[in-house]
Amino acid sequence: LATTKGIYNEFTQAVARVDGLIRQHNIACEPQEAGYLKVAHNAKALVTLQNAAKYIQQHLADDQDSGAEFINSGDFRAQYLDHHQAYGALRLKDGFGLNPLKLLLGYKDMVHAQGVTISEQSCVLEWIEEGAKHRLMTSNGELIANKVVMAGNAYTPKRFNQRIDDKFLPILSNVIVTEPLTAQELAQAGLHTHQVTMDTRILKYYYRLLPDNRLLFGGRGAVWGKDAANPVYGERLKMALNKCFPSLSSKAIAYNWTGWIAAAMDDMPHVYSKGGVGYSLGYCGAGVSFSSQAAYRLAQSIAGETLPNLPLYQQPLPTFPFTQARRLGQWGYYHYGWLKDRFG
Ligand SMILES: Cc1cc2nc3c(=O)[nH]c(=O)nc-3n(C[C@H](O)[C@H](O)[C@H](O)COP(=O)(O)OP(=O)(O)OC[C@H]3O[C@@H](n4cnc5c(N)ncnc54)[C@H](O)[C@@H]3O)c2cc1C
């Protein structure tokens, strides 16, 4: 229970930290109404969510205003989303949507204001360790560092440093965004909220209404990077969107893009530093808030402070087995997930 509470608190603090930074530094990143809805996609998942809501309220939440609540199917469809595949939902009260690029630009302004130099377009291509010093080579020049933090997440080159090589799996996530919905279309589809939403499938879908009432809908992309731009993946997402909200079937898609997320073998980010080298990696597609908490903890660790005794902070990333065959493994897992989500 102590470990569960510790991890829960870190993720709660992460959301509060981002919220605090936005307010303190007036970051114009379009924060939306609070609430993170987790939608049960079948009856079994509904029971799990019901139990989870109870557990959070009994053991983890500070008071009635924080933590989670369970929402039954009728209330969910009437007050939140008229989702045709929802059996009910769990609502975490603190999560919220924002524009992540605008948040990043806000962070950049904060760092600049502290007098820190940022060198863009300068990917570290090679890293040579010379005793306690680190020689970092970029296409624009090289530098010698006393301490190094690896924060490239899923975009880190495949072979980069033995501390993280083969310890994360980059996975493509795909997002589609509709044209803006009119008031009539919103009412017809029963979209009553801008809260962020995710379902309980193994192959999850995530969605939310953007501030201009476009519907963003995301899920897994291609297994192999060479197939990333194949339109079939966006089309599959549109079919999934139509099943959730049938009245939007004829609504056009305005944008379709993909990006890499980093999965960790044990499904959990790891923030680790030793001997002047640190990393934070493996947010498994949920790092917009946790990366700020991770950065805070990593800075504490590099400054010699003791971090909470949690697996997030005390254990290095585990290695993926059979790394040569990992894409085939992912392909197999997607097929298993597809079957389980339909019949499991
Ligand atoms: C389609 C999609 C949807 C997502 N949806 C959500 C969501 O709803 N909620 C959520 O919380 N998270 C979501 N995520 C995940 C989220 O974007 C990441 O967890 C988050 O961006 C991680 O932040 P980061 O700063 O660690 O890494 P990133 O934002 O990935 O940034 C890493 C940076 O490091 C740079 N880099 C890499 N290697 C090097 C090198 N060798 N030298 C120099 N620079 C290097 C890269 O160019 C990049 O700029 C989504 C991701 C994708 C792709």
Side-chain angles (χ1 to χ4, degrees):
L1 183 60
T3 305
T4 306
K5 269 188 183 164
I7 293 177
Y8 180 86
N9 284 342
E10 290 300 309
F11 279 85
T12 308
Q13 272 182 37
V15 176
R17 183 174 301 285
V18 175
D19 189 33
L21 289 170
I22 292 170
R23 288 172 198 274
Q24 195 185 340
H25 298 273
N26 292 318
I27 303 176
C29 60
E30 300 159 7
Q32 293 180 287
E33 64 180 276
Y36 166 21
L37 302 160
K38 206 162 176 185
V39 175
H41 75 287
N42 63 22
K44 209 165 140 191
L46 178 76
V47 176
T48 308
L49 290 187
Q50 241 166 343
N51 290 337
K54 245 188 248 158
Y55 186 89
I56 291 171
Q57 280 322 105
Q58 272 172 16
H59 299 289
L60 306 176
D62 290 335
D63 50 47
Q64 284 307 312
D65 295 332
S66 61
E69 61 184 323
F70 176 75
I71 304 165
N72 68 39
S73 163
D75 287 349
F76 186 72
R77 292 184 67 166
Q79 292 165 27
Y80 292 87
L81 300 169
D82 188 12
H83 186 306
H84 284 228
Q85 296 187 318
Y87 282 70
L90 173 139
R91 178 173 174 270
L92 291 165
K93 296 176 190 169
D94 60 349
F96 61 95
L98 50 69
N99 181 319
L101 176 59
K102 292 184 177 176
L103 178 70
L104 177 70
L105 295 174
Y107 286 167
K108 183 178 163 182
D109 288 344
M110 284 164 54
V111 171
H112 269 155
Q114 295 294 318
V116 176
T117 305
I118 302 176
S119 304
E120 294 185 58
Q121 306 299 329
S122 55
C123 189
V124 176
L125 302 170
E126 203 182 341
W127 171 351
I128 300 171
E129 297 187 38
E130 300 170 337
K133 303 267 180 200
H134 304 270
R135 184 184 294 271
L136 304 171
M137 262 85 91
T138 79
S139 51
N140 292 328
E142 61 178 68
L143 58 90
I144 306 281
N146 294 325
K147 292 184 164 62
V148 182
V149 166
M150 290 181 267
N153 206 37
Y155 290 90
T156 307
K158 202 170 172 188
R159 293 271 149 233
F160 189 61
N161 184 280
Q162 37 87 17
R163 292 172 183 84
I164 55 170
D165 289 349
D166 299 330
K167 293 189 172 176
F168 66 98
L169 179 63
I171 292 179
L172 277 171
S173 200
N174 200 148
V175 165
I176 56 173
V177 175
T178 65
E179 294 290 358
L181 305 180
T182 61
Q184 195 190 355
E185 285 169 330
L186 287 172
Q188 252 172 7
L191 304 180
H192 308 297
T193 182
H194 284 75
Q195 293 175 30
V196 288
T197 312
M198 165 104 89
D199 68 28
T200 45
R201 288 180 168 85
I202 294 179
L203 307 176
K204 296 175 183 0
Y205 295 117
Y206 52 90
Y207 30 97
R208 68 177 164 121
L209 271 181
L210 299 176
D212 63 354
N213 290 333
R214 295 170 188 274
L215 183 64
L216 176 154
F217 198 94
R220 77 193 156 106
V223 174
W224 284 273
K226 64 179 169 52
D227 301 326
N230 188 332
V232 74
Y233 297 99
E235 286 159 14
R236 277 186 199 168
L237 283 176
K238 182 61 174 51
M239 272 157 41
L241 183 160
N242 296 347
K243 282 187 186 156
C244 298
F245 308 107
S247 71
L248 299 180
S249 296
S250 56
K251 194 74 194 171
I253 296 304
Y255 300 101
N256 177 2
W257 74 87
T258 63
W260 295 98
I261 61 163
M265 185 64 203
D266 57 1
D267 227 8
M268 173 171 79
H270 288 259
V271 179
Y272 193 73
S273 93
K274 198 175 169 189
V277 177
Y279 63 77
S280 173
L281 193 65
Y283 306 114
C284 305
V288 169
S289 59
F290 191 72
S291 57
S292 79
Q293 182 74 359
Y296 172 72
R297 293 298 189 198
L298 194 49
Q300 281 187 315
S301 166
I302 290 167
E305 291 178 31
T306 308
L307 298 194
N309 186 15
L310 297 169
L312 296 168
Y313 303 131
Q314 305 296 340
Q315 295 165 5
L317 276 166
T319 305
F320 271 88
F322 314 115
T323 46
Q324 300 300 325
R326 58 191 191 166
R327 290 288 169 215
L328 272 181
Q330 187 188 345
W331 180 84
Y333 184 73
Y334 279 4
H335 283 76
Y336 160 78
W338 187 86
L339 286 169
K340 187 102 171 98
D341 287 341
R342 263 156 199 76
F343 310 111

